[in-house]
Every structure is written in C-alpha cells, then in structure tokens.
Amino acid sequence: MAILPTHRPRRNRKSEVIRNMVQETNLTTNDFIYPVFLIEGQNKTIEVSSMPGIHRFTADRLIDEIGQAVELGIKAFAPFPGINDALKDRLAKESANPEGLYLKTVADIKRQFPDVVIMTDVAMDPYSSDGHDGIVDPESGEILNDASLEVLGQMALAQARAGADIIGPSDMMDGRVAWIRDVLDRNAFSHVSIMSYTAKYASAFYGPFRDALDSAPKKGDKKSYQMNPANKREALRELALDEQEGADMVMIKPALSYLDVIHAVKANTNLPVTAYNVSGEYAMIKAAAQNGWVDGEKTMMEVLLSIKRAGADAILTYFAKEAAAVLRRG
Ligand code: PBG
C-alpha cells in the first residue's frame, strides 16, 4: 500500500490569505532607490534605446520625473550625468565644478524636494576623456589608484556641498572609502553617508548604461579595478575593508547573477546591504516582455523580490516607478 504524506507544506499555500500570512519577504517602495539619467539642455526627454521606458532627462524634465516618482512613494534617487565630450579631460576636472550640470541639478533637486534622499555617484568615468573610473597613465595605460583618490575625494566633497545625502563611490579604487570619509569629516560633512560599491563586478550587464551616458572606456576594460565575476570570497575581503574604512552601507552590483554574493555579504555584516539591479538586467526583462516571451510585470516583481530575499535591504532599480505602481495597485 502506498504511504500517504504526513507532512503537507501545501496546507500553507491553500488560500491567498494564508499565503500572504506566511510570506517571508515583502517589497515596499521604501526599498527602492531610483537611478536616473541627466543630460545637458532644456525640455528634452530622450529614451535610452536599449532600455525601453527609461529616459535621459534635461534638468527641468528630471525634476518632473522625480516629482512623479515621489507621488508613487519613491523617496531615494541616484542621478547619473551624461557630460558633453568638450568638458571631459584626463583628470575629470568637471566632476568638482559646482556650476556644472550634475552638481547644479543635485542642488536644485534638494531645493525642490528637501525630503528626498539623493545618492551621488563618485567615479571619474562620466567626466573622463578616457572613459575610465580612475586616472589613466598616458604611457602605460595603467589606472593609477592613489592619484585617483585625490580626484575622487574632491568630487565627493563637491557633491556633499551640493547637498548629497549619500555618497556612492562606484570607482573600485583601493582605499577610497577611508579617503572620502576623511575628506568629508575634515570639511564638516560628517553627517553625509557613504554607500560603498563594495563588490562591483566587471560585468557585461552594464552595456545599456554606458550607451545611455556614452561612458564606455575608450581603451581596454575595467578588469584591473572591477571584480572578477568568478569570485565570491574576494567580495568578503572588500566588505571587511569597507567596514574598517567606515562605509555606512555596502552594495553588490550587479544583482541578479550575484544573488549568492548578496547572501554571503549579508551573512557577514551588520551594515545595511543594497544591490544594484543594473541596466542589462532591466533590458533583458524588457526585451523578453516586448516579444511576449515573459510577462514583464510579473517577471519584474519576481526579480525584485528575489534580490530582497537574497539579503538586500534596498535595491537600486530602473523598475522603481513601475514596481511602485504595481505595489500601489495591490
Ligand atoms: C560607472 C558606473 C557604471 C554603472 C554605474 N556606475 C558602469 C561602469 O562601471 O562601467 C552601471 C549601472 C548600470 O549598468 O545600470 N562608474
């Protein structure tokens, strides 16, 4: 005679009310940080062709976009600038210009929306004529770590002066968290937070972002500073350093192919953990959905939930507005 099951996990799935009662992970709009693209000019909104539904905004239009997102309950934003080529140079000087596009716009956003949290990006690539996150040695082509710290520190300080709530170093230079912390503290910005891109991998999933901002490296790749996708223990080493150096929050990037890294980092720190659901991850779902191959909305919600389940306390995601609309609908 066949033995009937004595344990029946399905009892906890038998109705929607019970399923919701035992649900372990919940998404809310508090979890979202919305990355937005800023460009020079006025009254222009240009769609990123590899990111359907995501636009590059001139500052005036970006204010409208942020207003719409705030209406949907989104409270944190991570602006990234597309800088005119004429303003780019080897040392990314434009990055600390308080009258430049980025810092003026950050200040403007904070004036119009004092309660939103703005996380600014620290890395040289948007302003670098070489398209790298640090200074390139003209002879060897090497990315110079310690010389770059000087530039990154000045960039972070200028961002804090413009009103940034959180500084987000995405450059992966060694020692930059301690360097930036020191510069901020010595200039009366001890209240400004640092969310370190702790484990940022040299990933092909950044492609659409580089299209959007025209920020791809002119020569070579980023493998001498971004992490090898094969490595997980190395992420824990970066974590230990970021903790020592005074990071307030740590980030893993990208998110989807790195859920195991998110999990491992979460298990090894008491700091808040965030994950960046990057441009290529967004593009994949959009492309499949446009072909009718997956249900775009359900896939989006499942992916975001999985990132949170893996251990992320907050998620940088281009889906922020769309997901917030789904959560509002219930
Ligand atoms: C650059 C930066 C990148 C992203 C955020 N900051 C690209 C890169 O490192 O080349 C990628 C984000 C995304 O793909 O959504 N400092």
Side-chain angles (χ1 to χ4, degrees):
M1 214 182 69
I3 300 169
L4 292 174
T6 43
H7 296 282
R8 294 180 182 272
R10 285 187 55 193
R11 277 195 289 265
N12 287 349
R13 301 176 201 139
K14 73 183 168 192
S15 73
E16 175 137 29
V17 174
I18 290 185
R19 285 192 295 275
N20 289 345
M21 186 187 291
V22 301
Q23 178 158 333
E24 298 172 35
T25 309
N26 289 286
L27 276 176
T28 81
T29 50
N30 291 333
D31 305 326
F32 301 147
I33 301 165
Y34 182 24
V36 287
F37 298 131
L38 168 67
I39 51 170
E40 210 71 70
Q42 261 192 333
N43 198 24
K44 264 196 289 190
T45 309
I46 306 169
E47 193 167 42
V48 181
S49 54
S50 47
M51 299 178 77
I54 293 298
H55 298 82
R56 285 168 289 203
F57 299 97
T58 53
D60 50 344
R61 291 293 193 93
L62 183 60
I63 296 287
D64 300 340
E65 176 71 2
I66 289 176
Q68 281 179 28
V70 166
E71 279 300 305
L72 286 163
I74 297 161
K75 297 157 186 142
F77 298 85
F80 291 93
I83 301 292
N84 288 343
D85 274 343
L87 295 172
K88 299 184 184 180
D89 61 25
R90 266 193 74 233
L91 298 177
K93 284 198 211 69
E94 179 64 11
S95 65
N97 175 7
E99 295 305 315
L101 171 70
Y102 192 57
L103 298 180
K104 256 179 42 194
T105 306
V106 166
D108 201 30
I109 297 168
K110 288 297 291 186
R111 243 189 320 274
Q112 308 236 18
F113 304 99
D115 298 331
V116 311
V117 161
I118 297 294
M119 168 167 149
T120 48
D121 183 59
V122 170
M124 286 173 56
D125 59 331
Y127 320 90
S128 150
S129 44
D130 297 304
H132 274 286
D133 293 14
I135 299 174
V136 180
D137 183 312
E139 258 122 67
S140 65
E142 195 191 325
I143 311 299
L144 303 172
N145 194 89
D146 300 5
S148 302
L149 294 178
E150 190 64 54
V151 178
L152 299 169
Q154 290 310 307
M155 192 184 312
L157 178 58
Q159 292 173 354
R161 287 192 175 123
D165 301 279
I166 305 177
I167 303 292
S170 68
D171 54 279
M172 290 303 277
M173 295 301 119
D174 291 334
R176 91 275 206 212
V177 170
W179 185 282
I180 291 169
R181 183 73 273 156
D182 181 60
V183 171
L184 293 176
D185 292 353
R186 280 190 292 104
N187 287 278
F189 289 108
S190 59
H191 57 284
V192 172
S193 316
I194 299 179
M195 182 192 291
S196 177
Y197 286 63
T198 296
K200 180 175 179 180
Y201 287 89
S203 171
F205 286 99
Y206 307 150
F209 176 98
R210 293 179 188 171
D211 293 346
L213 297 183
D214 190 23
S215 64
K218 298 284 181 291
K219 255 215 220 130
D221 54 38
K222 298 191 173 185
K223 289 181 185 169
S224 76
Y225 46 107
Q226 298 181 349
M227 283 178 52
N228 179 347
N231 294 358
K232 179 158 75 174
R233 283 184 299 144
E234 193 180 342
L236 299 179
R237 184 172 183 217
E238 288 282 5
L239 168 66
L241 291 171
D242 281 352
E243 286 196 324
Q244 271 171 36
E245 292 183 29
D248 300 286
M249 306 177 206
V250 294
M251 188 206 295
I252 293 88
K253 174 187 180 184
L256 261 196
S257 291
Y258 300 86
L259 295 178
D260 57 329
V261 180
I262 297 173
H263 180 82
V265 166
K266 185 60 171 274
N268 282 281
T269 186
N270 291 321
L271 292 176
V273 174
T274 61
Y276 199 142
N277 176 214
V278 299
S279 58
E281 299 174 330
Y282 175 89
M284 279 195 307
I285 291 180
K286 283 292 171 190
Q290 281 185 343
N291 276 298
W293 296 341
V294 297
D295 179 321
E297 196 172 291
K298 291 203 174 89
T299 315
M300 161 182 79
M301 296 310 280
E302 187 174 330
V303 158
L304 293 173
L305 192 71
S306 75
I307 295 168
K308 203 167 172 204
R309 191 196 62 232
D313 298 296
I315 308 169
L316 284 102
T317 180
Y318 302 97
F319 286 120
K321 268 176 76 189
E322 235 179 304
V326 172
L327 290 173
R328 165 158 303 182
R329 212 174 59 210

